[in-house]
Amino acid sequence: MIRRTADLSPGARDAFDAIIDVRSPAEFALDHIPGAINLPVLDDAQRAVVGTEYVQGSKFLARRNGAALVARNIAAHLEGALADRGGGFKPLVYCWRGGQRSGAMVTVMDQVGWPVTVLDGGYQTWRRQVKAALYDAPLAHSLVLLDGPTGVGKTALLGAVAARGVQTLDLEALAAHRGSLFGAMPGGQPSQKAFESRLHDALSRLDPARPVLVEAESSKIGARVVPPSLWAAMAAAPTIRLESPVEVRAARTVRDYADFAADRLALDTALTRLPRHIGKQMVAEWRALAAAGEVETLAVDLIVHHYDPAYRRQGQGRARPERAVVGIASLDDDALETAADQTVEVLAGLNAR
């Protein structure tokens, strides 16, 4: 018997052995339910051909030819990606709106004997939930921002406090961008919709009754925009500010961006994208430092003359209450661990209020 559901809570999704997206690879790449695998019943080219025939030619031929393609593709999945699944395999299947494509897949799966469930409304059901959570309602979570200038170690501290059981939200990881001029990551950023799906999934797995530590970011991380409900909560959140000497911050930046710095062409290209208010002479000097491999000197200059002034400008006019200042005096692991312990103590105090 084919089951149906519209419950996409984390517990409901985690109860399935697999979430199967049967849309085309291009649709899947744009966005999908986190954790889903793509087993398309029509690939991108096939979907285009069938769609063109349906609109411009014969609807009957489009349905007949499409059915043949769907049947062959489902057979390939049964003999390939699904070949090792036993009789108790419990999948959730969805397409764009929960119609013909998912219907074809679940019909075959049901005949195989698997306890299959189809998502009512398909991907659109998920997308409506994401928009409702991130655009239409205030965020239920109590956020605390981890603030501080470039290179101070915010990302490292997030990981250290997460290891101590603190709830964290790593926006840079979700956006696949480190939020700076040199912040691009291999593989590029997800689409805006995919970023929002990742955000909604991460937030839905956090306890709203406990503080969530999130790195203070601008309203854009690379090319991705922080959705309004989350941004409003961040704008009103109290902060814990990190401090570290410029030399330590520069050394951390060089270490964290070592792969990027080793690519001289990418480094030079990034420097050409600096804001116009940075003088041409200064940019030329920085490009010369990069070409000569003087990356630590370059990092200090960028921090002092570009990142710190930008950080100060961004902080002007903000009304976020500052709850504590935590120092990281060196790159030593002990310094990070001490800062993490202090941060946990501050969060515990906030939670007790």
Side-chain angles (χ1 to χ4, degrees):
M1 179 183 69
I2 298 172
R3 299 156 178 80
R4 307 190 72 87
T5 188
D7 185 357
L8 289 174
S9 64
R13 285 184 280 133
D14 293 346
F16 293 102
D17 295 323
I19 301 175
I20 299 175
D21 185 324
V22 300
R23 297 175 304 156
S24 70
E27 293 171 292
F28 182 83
L30 181 63
D31 186 28
H32 54 268
I33 297 174
I37 60 173
N38 189 210
L39 298 180
V41 297
L42 289 173
D43 65 27
D44 296 321
Q46 292 167 343
R47 182 167 175 258
V49 169
V50 171
T52 299
E53 178 65 35
Y54 189 87
V55 172
Q56 300 180 5
S58 165
K59 291 181 172 53
F60 168 75
L61 288 178
R63 286 192 292 265
R64 189 191 69 182
N65 296 339
L69 292 169
V70 167
R72 284 195 287 270
N73 290 332
I74 292 176
H77 296 321
L78 292 173
E79 295 169 348
L82 302 175
D84 62 346
R85 300 292 189 168
F89 176 53
K90 296 187 299 181
L92 173 67
V93 177
Y94 72 93
C95 61
W96 183 253
R97 292 190 179 89
Q100 292 182 334
R101 286 185 287 178
S102 58
M105 178 68 95
V106 299
T107 297
V108 173
M109 286 182 157
D110 180 57
Q111 291 300 308
V112 169
W114 286 323
V116 60
T117 302
V118 65
L119 176 60
D120 274 332
Y123 164 79
Q124 290 297 316
T125 294
W126 169 256
R127 181 60 189 165
R128 283 193 295 272
Q129 291 188 17
V130 171
K131 290 182 68 177
L134 298 180
Y135 284 81
D136 301 336
L139 205 69
H141 303 75
S142 177
L143 304 184
V144 179
L145 295 191
L146 188 60
D147 201 1
T150 294
V152 77
K154 297 187 290 292
T155 300
L157 189 66
L158 269 185
V161 298
R164 288 161 167 75
V166 171
Q167 294 192 132
T168 63
L169 183 67
D170 191 340
L171 294 178
E172 291 185 354
L174 295 170
H177 197 283
R178 287 174 285 196
S180 71
L181 182 67
F182 312 105
M185 295 183 182
Q189 292 192 264
S191 70
Q192 180 67 29
K193 287 183 177 180
F195 172 52
E196 291 170 3
S197 283
R198 295 177 182 184
L199 271 176
H200 177 56
D201 179 52
L203 287 166
S204 67
R205 296 177 184 277
L206 299 174
D207 181 0
R210 296 170 53 210
V212 178
L213 189 65
V214 55
E215 185 173 341
E217 299 282 356
S218 66
S219 59
K220 290 185 70 176
I221 307 172
R224 298 298 152 250
V225 178
V226 177
S229 295
L230 177 57
W231 181 245
M234 291 173 66
T239 67
I240 298 172
R241 179 164 55 86
L242 294 188
E243 287 186 343
S244 191
V246 170
E247 294 76 13
V248 174
R249 291 161 52 203
R252 182 184 295 279
T253 300
V254 170
R255 186 189 66 183
D256 292 349
Y257 289 82
D259 291 344
F260 189 92
D263 186 339
R264 300 290 176 82
L265 178 58
L267 181 56
D268 184 71
T269 301
L271 290 170
T272 65
R273 296 197 298 266
L274 282 161
R276 290 184 178 181
H277 67 263
I278 303 293
K280 291 183 179 180
Q281 180 61 37
M282 184 169 286
V283 172
E285 292 174 3
W286 289 346
R287 293 178 71 184
L289 287 173
E294 300 290 339
V295 291
E296 288 215 22
T297 302
L298 173 62
V300 171
D301 272 11
L302 283 168
I303 286 172
V304 171
H305 298 292
H306 172 54
Y307 285 113
D308 280 4
Y311 175 71
R312 289 190 291 269
R313 287 194 300 272
Q314 290 171 0
Q316 292 175 354
R318 286 179 178 171
R320 296 167 176 165
E322 186 173 278
R323 298 305 186 204
V325 178
V326 174
I328 303 181
S330 73
L331 290 182
D332 295 341
D333 290 341
D334 288 345
L336 178 64
E337 296 303 315
T338 298
D341 289 338
Q342 293 173 354
T343 303
V344 171
E345 289 179 10
V346 174
L347 290 169
L350 291 176
N351 198 33
R353 293 180 182 181

